[in-house]
Amino acid sequence: MTDTQIKNAVEKFEALIREQSDRSDKIKAQGDFVDYEKLDKIVIGVCGGDGIGPIITKESARVLEYMLADKVKAGKVEFKVIDGLTIENRVAANKAIPDDVLEELKACHVILKGPTTTPQQGGPWPNIESANVAMRKALDLFANLRPVKVPEEGIDWTFFRENTEGAYAVGSKGVNVTDDLAVDFVVTTTEGCERIAKLAYDYARRNHKDRVSIITKANIIKTTDGKFLNLCKNIGKDYPEITTDEWYIDITTAKLIDPKRRKDFKVFILPNLYGDIITDEAAEFQGGVGTAGSANIGKKYAMFEAIHGSAPRMIEEGRGQYADPCSMLRASVMLLSHIGEQEKADLLEKALDICMFTEKKLTITGRDTGCTCSEFGDYVMETVKKLSE
């Protein structure tokens, strides 16, 4: 390794440090959360993404429009379709989110977003950053909320995944020091840790959850994971009625499949990478990632999405119309709750439970052996109507 190679790597590292320091300062300067009750009109952006994204997003938006028809008619809610997050458009702009699309997103209060394709090293597309990661950073959506509930298994979990830091903060800005040495970075800030912890503990208190589990690998990743763990524990001291425990990520993945121990878990707080992995595992308990939605919460914006990918193979094979909208519909439940429409959120959740688990008049297989995406949407709306009568 030459002195020049080391110097170049150090310069890149210095730029990252300055960038993340500026981001930390911006977090400190933020105000309070948006009060949706005080808004004259709530603008809901409908951003389809690519692959099966536009199909399942359109169907979920159709269900939301049905449930919010009174608010739309009264001018209290507006749906705004936002195109431009296809992989082709992002590659053409050479950006994770093209500038014009980002401005459209910022003009909304909440966003219903379909899956987007993230290029991987060695694939057919240029190695641009994940649109999801970019959106979370651009809109400062620092909390990824993912619920998993399977009553018959005693599972009632809520995951609070930190969204903007950790291993994903500068995931596309690692340094190839030489042909033989590559280095990536993990970022942890005091402000980032404290706000995700407070959100999780506040949620636990409001929803009468008596346990919060902090998940790290602090015995090995001592600096950043250690900081995350200690700061979260300090926040937990302000909630004496809630039991705080700590687990390493590897043993947590094992205990989630332990029928006895998994019932003890209630609310989880996790750094970015661990939260991404373990929530996919957790989603399998309720039928797979195709059944799970997620919320991405910030102080000014919120984005709701499926946790699975864009399934380009389904489009290539002409099976897009059979895509499962349940993940986006579950995300729509959280969207309704977030904007203060709790009764409608509960109604949609009940209807989904009936359609997916209890009644199951229609089955989605991803092929012509099951119903189409739109047929399932009709089924959900019919069920909502019956429950409302």
Side-chain angles (χ1 to χ4, degrees), residues 48-70:
D50 53 30
I52 63 169
I55 298 169
I56 60 176
T57 305
K58 180 180 179 181
E59 195 57 38
S60 299
R62 189 166 72 97
V63 173
L64 279 175
E65 288 172 350
Y66 171 75
M67 299 198 70
L68 293 171
D70 56 335

Side-chain angles (χ1 to χ4, degrees), residues 355-372:
C355 295
M356 294 173 64
F357 305 123
T358 308
E359 196 174 71
K360 296 186 70 173
K361 286 184 178 179
L362 296 179
T363 302
I364 299 173
T365 65
R367 300 179 181 277
D368 59 9
T369 53
C371 70
T372 65

Side-chain angles (χ1 to χ4, degrees), residues 180-195:
D180 298 318
L181 176 63
V183 179
D184 270 314
F185 305 99
V186 175
V187 176
T188 301
T189 69
T190 298
E191 295 76 19
C193 294
E194 289 181 343
R195 64 183 182 176

Side-chain angles (χ1 to χ4, degrees), residues 24-43:
S24 179
D25 290 340
K26 290 178 182 178
I27 294 175
K28 294 177 185 177
Q30 285 182 340
D32 295 328
F33 284 88
V34 169
D35 187 344
Y36 291 95
E37 291 184 358
K38 294 181 179 179
L39 296 177
D40 293 331
K41 181 170 64 177
I42 299 172
V43 180

Side-chain angles (χ1 to χ4, degrees), residues 138-157:
L139 305 182
D140 198 30
L141 306 176
F142 66 85
N144 185 220
L145 169 59
R146 294 184 177 182
V148 172
K149 193 172 184 179
V150 187
E152 62 271 24
E153 298 286 342
I155 294 172
D156 185 6
W157 302 328

Side-chain angles (χ1 to χ4, degrees), residues 211-218 229 245-253 255 261 264-265 268-269:
R211 181 177 297 273
V212 171
S213 302
I214 307 167
I215 314 300
T216 67
K217 192 62 177 173
L229 173 61
D245 57 15
E246 57 186 86
W247 292 77
Y248 297 137
I249 181 61
D250 45 358
I251 193 63
T252 305
T253 60
K255 291 305 176 184
R261 294 307 301 269
D264 295 335
F265 292 113
F268 301 75
I269 311 175

